[in-house]
Each structure stands twice: as structure tokens, then as C-alpha cells.
């Protein structure tokens, strides 16, 4: 495909997901992290020991600061997981396994 053809590209219609029960609008092609950022959410995980807030740090899936639970699957890297209509996203404490 010619990259110039993408200049007029527009995302598909917006849809909603939930973060801890709160509805958030997302668009096709966004990651979970991008949708959360667009909604003004910058932190969605707390560290295990001190409970310090975490969100996106590296943005490329190398670190593990952006972990969330998506559709009951803990430890999903928000910067890598594509958001899908109807996703249920939960903030996560520590490893997400109730430790």
C-alpha cells in the first residue's frame, strides 16, 4: 500500500469499554493504554509493596509497569493489548493474583 493513501485514513466508529466499572470511549486500533490515556487515566496499577501508582513507562512492552486485568486475564501489558468493544478492564495491584 502507498503510505500517501493513509493520509485521509479515519478510525472506525467509537465503542465503549469499562475500567473498574467506568465507561470509557475507545476507537479501533488503540491499545488499552492509549484508550485509558485518551480518557485522562494515567495510572492503573499499584506496586505490590508500597502501593505506588503505575501506568505506561516504556510504551513498547519491555517493562511491566502498565499491567492491567483485561476480561479476567491478569498481567496484560496495556501498551500492547488492542482494546476491543466491550472489554472489561480492571486496575491491578501487584501481580494481579491476590498476593
Amino acid at each position: 500500500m502507498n503510505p500517501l493513501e493513509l493520509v485521509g485514513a479515519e478510525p472506525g466508529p467509537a465503542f465503549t469499554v469499562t475500567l473498574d466499572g467506568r465507561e470509557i470511549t475507545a476507537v479501533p486500533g488503540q491499545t488499552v493504554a492509549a484508550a485509558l490515556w485518551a480518557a485522562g487515566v494515567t495510572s492503573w496499577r499499584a506496586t505490590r509493596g508500597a502501593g505506588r501508582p503505575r501506568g505506561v513507562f516504556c510504551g513498547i512492552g519491555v517493562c511491566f509497569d502498565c499491567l492491567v486485568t483485561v476480561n479476567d486475564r491478569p498481567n496484560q501489558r496495556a501498551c500492547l493489548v488492542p482494546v476491543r468493544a466491550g472489554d472489561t478492564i480492571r486496575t491491578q495491584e501487584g501481580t494481579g493474583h491476590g498476593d
Side-chain angles (χ1 to χ4, degrees):
M1 168 179 267
N2 179 347
L4 294 176
E5 293 173 14
L6 297 175
V7 172
E10 293 184 28
F15 53 84
T16 60
V17 298
T18 59
L19 172 67
D20 296 333
R22 170 184 162 199
E23 282 196 352
I24 291 177
T25 301
V27 294
Q30 282 184 316
T31 61
V32 169
L36 296 179
W37 266 355
V41 180
T42 58
S43 173
W44 48 82
R45 181 177 83 84
T47 58
R48 192 171 30 182
R52 293 190 173 128
R54 294 291 187 259
V56 171
F57 180 71
C58 74
I60 58 172
V62 176
C63 76
F64 293 86
D65 272 358
C66 67
L67 297 178
V68 289
T69 298
V70 180
N71 300 325
D72 295 322
R73 294 184 62 210
N75 300 316
Q76 302 299 300
R77 286 179 259 181
C79 68
L80 296 180
V81 175
V83 70
R84 308 258 186 248
D87 277 350
T88 300
I89 304 160
R90 288 184 293 137
T91 54
Q92 184 169 303
E93 291 187 29
T95 63
H97 292 288
D99 58 332

